[in-house]
């Protein structure tokens, strides 16, 4: 079953704009990760944030985590056409290690 | 180094047939996971191996699904008496032992299974 939902389900922006995606989850977590998926195939790991962290940066990516609200956001700054993909958040509960994914946000970046 | 590989990339079969899907994890990764992704959905967990043993198979939908990892490296997901509802992309991932506290999972390209 899915852990939670992502919002929006689809997002269309122009190149150079920022894209923000939100993820909500249901149970306590150890880590939250964001993945990108092109064309419905393999997922590429983008960034991991631990439950005791509130914000993390990696290049053009900024992730925030609010454990009190059970939510996270992914910000992609200065988007490029190559950022067009589906983005998923995934949580793990520690020792169990299996990932529970959200429903995903489909991002379309146009020239 | 090489990433996670999966074969075949596509598999078309008829209802009621048996299929095997193979996953070759990143060398040195002791943890291996199988997920299933239906169209428009996020991946859903099936089974997790730590070494040769299945540490968690709670995601397997029924007893038609079975997975093995006999030597602690390559894994095979086996589906008996396939049904049209089994059609999905089957994803494999591997990671360093969860005991390291690092849970980044690296995914293969997936096998798209179509049951006619």
């Amino acid at each position: 079953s899915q852990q939670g939902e992502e919002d929006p389900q689809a997002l269309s922006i122009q190149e150079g704009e920022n894209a923000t995606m939100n993820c909500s989850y249901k149970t306590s977590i150890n880590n939250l990760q964001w993945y990108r998926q092109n064309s419905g195939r393999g997922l590429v790991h983008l960034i991991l944030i631990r439950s005791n962290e509130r914000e993390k940066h990696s290049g053009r990516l900024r992730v925030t985590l609010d454990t009190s609200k059970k939510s996270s956001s992914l910000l992609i700054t200065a988007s490029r056409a190559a950022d067009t993909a589906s983005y998923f958040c995934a949580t793990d509960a520690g020792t169990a290690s299996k990932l529970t994914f959200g429903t995903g946000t489909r991002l379309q970046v146009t020239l | 180094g090489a990433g996670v590989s999966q074969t075949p990339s596509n598999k078309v079969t008829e209802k009621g047939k048996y299929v095997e899907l193979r996953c070759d994890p990143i060398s040195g990764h002791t943890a291996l996971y199988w997920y299933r992704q239906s169209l428009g959905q996020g991946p859903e967990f099936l089974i997790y191996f730590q070494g040769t043993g299945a540490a968690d198979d709670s995601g397997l939908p029924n007893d038609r699904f079975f997975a093995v990892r006999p030597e602690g490296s390559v894994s095979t997901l086996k589906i008996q008496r396939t049904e049209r509802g089994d059609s999905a992309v089957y994803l494999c991932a591997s990671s360093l032992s969860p005991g390291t506290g690092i849970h980044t999972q690296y995914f293969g390209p997936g096998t798209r299974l179509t049951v006619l």
Side-chain angles (χ1 to χ4, degrees):
Chain A
S1 61
Q2 307 287 169
Q3 162 73 288
E5 294 186 356
E6 287 170 68
D7 159 54
Q9 289 188 331
L11 179 62
S12 183
I13 60 173
Q14 291 192 319
E15 203 171 47
E17 295 180 334
N18 296 340
T20 300
M21 290 160 266
N22 303 295
C23 163
S24 62
Y25 56 92
K26 298 175 182 173
T27 60
S28 296
I29 65 169
N30 195 47
N31 304 289
L32 186 143
Q33 304 181 53
W34 284 88
Y35 284 84
R36 183 183 73 212
Q37 185 176 44
N38 292 86
S39 304
R41 298 306 287 263
L43 292 107
V44 174
H45 181 260
L46 295 177
I47 193 166
L48 178 150
I49 185 166
R50 300 183 191 278
S51 60
N52 61 356
E53 297 176 312
R54 291 297 167 258
E55 187 171 313
K56 203 161 183 180
H57 297 254
S58 177
R60 294 184 295 113
L61 306 179
R62 172 178 169 252
V63 170
T64 62
L65 179 64
D66 187 336
T67 53
S68 67
K69 294 181 180 177
K70 291 186 169 60
S71 68
S72 173
S73 69
L74 171 68
L75 169 67
I76 304 174
T77 60
S79 63
R80 306 166 182 168
D83 295 328
T84 295
S86 290
Y87 291 82
F88 293 91
C89 67
T91 58
D92 72 73
T95 56
S97 205
K98 66 183 180 184
L99 293 178
T100 304
F101 285 83
T103 51
T105 293
R106 294 186 309 279
L107 174 66
Q108 176 74 44
V109 181
T110 56
L111 296 172
Chain B
V4 177
S5 62
Q6 292 186 246
T7 54
S9 57
N10 287 284
K11 176 69 177 178
V12 180
T13 191
E14 292 179 341
K15 181 176 178 296
K17 299 289 189 182
Y18 167 83
V19 297
E20 289 189 351
L21 312 179
R22 175 189 167 110
C23 172
D24 204 334
I26 293 172
S27 177
H29 282 192
T30 59
L32 185 146
Y33 312 80
W34 285 98
Y35 295 84
R36 178 169 72 171
Q37 185 175 24
S38 300
L39 191 64
Q41 299 293 314
E44 293 190 318
F45 170 76
L46 295 176
I47 186 169
Y48 152 54
F49 286 89
Q50 180 57 40
T52 60
D56 182 354
D57 64 357
S58 61
L60 294 178
N62 50 60
D63 61 6
R64 295 186 298 104
F65 288 75
F66 189 72
V68 295
R69 195 187 185 198
E71 297 178 357
S73 179
V74 171
S75 175
T76 304
L77 178 66
K78 308 180 180 192
I79 310 174
Q80 299 177 320
R81 304 182 305 280
T82 52
E83 300 176 357
R84 292 193 180 87
D86 299 334
S87 296
V89 176
Y90 289 81
L91 296 163
C92 176
S94 69
S95 72
L96 291 169
S97 170
T100 65
I102 300 170
H103 298 275
T104 299
Q105 296 183 19
Y106 297 90
F107 282 78
T111 293
R112 185 180 301 279
L113 174 66
T114 303
V115 182
L116 301 175

